[in-house]
Amino acid sequence: MAKRPKTLETVRIAVELLRRIPRSGRIDASTLHRQLAEMGIERNIKSIQVLLNQLSEEFPDIERDTTNKPYGYRWKPGSVGISLPTLSAQEALLLRLAQQQLVHLLPAGLLGSMDGFFSRARAVLGPGTKATLEREWLDKVRVVSTTQPLIPPKIDPEVFEETSRALFGNLLLDLVYRNADGEETTTQVKPLGLAQMGPRLYLVCRFRKYKDNRILALHRSNRPGNPSCDGVISRSGPSDGVIDPGCHAPAVLAAARGRPSSRRTDHAR
């Protein structure tokens, strides 16, 4: 294979760095250096640091955290990051519907990293654009509950963020949980899944040192601890059946009504 010109190779590395800078959390030069090496791109760490500094100066939306070393980089909240293709009206419509329906079914960090795309989708479908039919479609469809509409209980954003992060990373989670009787308990659980029933969100989990699954109403959880790597949940295969609707529906319904079920659902030990 012919060797790439130096300028073209530098452009390629710059594009790869821009693609890997996250929208939530931060990434440092060492991590990026390792990721590039895994792709077969060999550069010394110093050149990666220099290029990152140049990119952060060239792109105002790149935030460089110089509080501690190594410096961390991320895209500022609301920025679209690097997005070479233009978002079409159809893609914008898909993103808007996905944002409405998946807000509690995606990890909070992942959803936050999509903020730039969601903002762009709103702009593409905004008043004065040519996407008239796609914009009108949003007012033509609704998800209607088969039961009486209920006001969704308020879920602490921090609780949802830490819970979804623990679930996504297969980590243990410390929670202060208030059961249906108003009793508060500090407990550590292994998150296994999230189940949405109507306006309520439930955490399927397993209390540490126990083998049976429990279901906790997420709006009764507060003051979460940071997900812990201590006792990472082992996953040797798919988790089919962990949140099987047929298996857990009675327990979820019991939790929704605020009373214990045969699975002792909704009560912290």
Side-chain angles (χ1 to χ4, degrees), residues 51-177:
L51 191 50
L52 281 170
N53 290 339
Q54 292 173 343
L55 290 173
S56 65
E57 293 173 358
E58 185 67 25
F59 291 87
D61 281 345
I62 294 179
E63 182 178 276
R64 181 175 63 172
D65 182 7
T66 59
T67 306
N68 297 300
K69 290 187 176 181
Y71 295 162
Y73 298 83
R74 71 169 182 175
W75 292 101
K76 293 179 179 178
S79 66
V80 296
I82 180 172
S83 180
L84 299 180
T86 302
L87 197 63
S88 69
Q90 292 77 19
E91 292 167 337
L93 176 59
L94 177 61
L95 281 173
R96 292 287 286 115
L97 290 173
Q99 182 184 21
Q100 293 173 7
Q101 301 304 320
L102 301 179
V103 62
H104 284 141
L105 299 180
L106 287 174
L110 174 59
L111 198 65
S113 71
M114 294 288 291
D115 281 344
F117 292 101
F118 292 143
S119 297
R120 179 59 183 161
R122 286 192 293 270
V124 170
L125 300 181
T129 65
K130 296 181 180 180
T132 304
L133 297 178
E134 289 80 7
R135 181 170 60 253
E136 291 176 347
W137 184 261
L138 292 172
D139 294 325
K140 294 179 179 179
V141 292
R142 288 289 185 273
V143 176
V144 181
S145 174
T146 56
T147 59
Q148 181 180 357
L150 301 173
I151 299 176
K154 185 178 179 179
I155 297 175
D156 185 333
E158 185 181 354
V159 168
F160 177 72
E161 180 177 355
E162 297 301 334
T163 300
S164 62
R165 187 156 70 93
L167 175 61
F168 186 75
N170 295 331
L171 304 174
L172 295 174
L173 180 68
D174 293 322
L175 281 177
V176 177
Y177 186 78

Side-chain angles (χ1 to χ4, degrees), residues 9 33 37 41 55 132 171 221 230 238 241-242:
E9 184 67 12
H33 178 258
I41 300 178
L55 290 173
T132 304
L171 304 174
S221 302
D230 176 33
V242 169

